[in-house]
Amino acid sequence: MTTRCGPLGGQATITGNTLTVRNIATGAMGCAGDVGEQHLWVMEFLKRPIELTFSQGTFSWKSGTDTLSFKSE
């Protein structure tokens, strides 16, 4: 995954409908402000188990109380 601050990578496995990312590494960066906060949010999102669902054309990733939704065009 890539944020505006740089790339993130790790070992990912899917068991059933749960995505788990381990050993997250990040590329060199020097982001501050909102962009840096977004990068940290993505890292925290990926550290928790992510529930994957697909309904009515929308693919959703739920991690804790946060959700990312991807809708086809």
Side-chain angles (χ1 to χ4, degrees), residues 45-70:
F45 186 90
L46 293 173
K47 286 180 182 178
R48 300 183 297 257
I50 300 166
E51 179 185 341
L52 308 173
T53 58
F54 185 78
S55 177
Q56 299 178 348
T58 301
F59 182 46
S60 297
W61 294 15
K62 183 173 180 6
S63 172
T65 59
D66 298 314
T67 303
L68 293 174
S69 296
F70 306 90

Side-chain angles (χ1 to χ4, degrees), residues 1-24:
M1 174 175 283
T2 301
T3 69
R4 290 175 32 200
C5 285
L8 296 166
Q11 299 170 325
T13 58
I14 297 176
T15 303
N17 67 337
T18 303
L19 169 65
T20 305
V21 182
R22 291 182 305 282
N23 303 322
I24 299 171

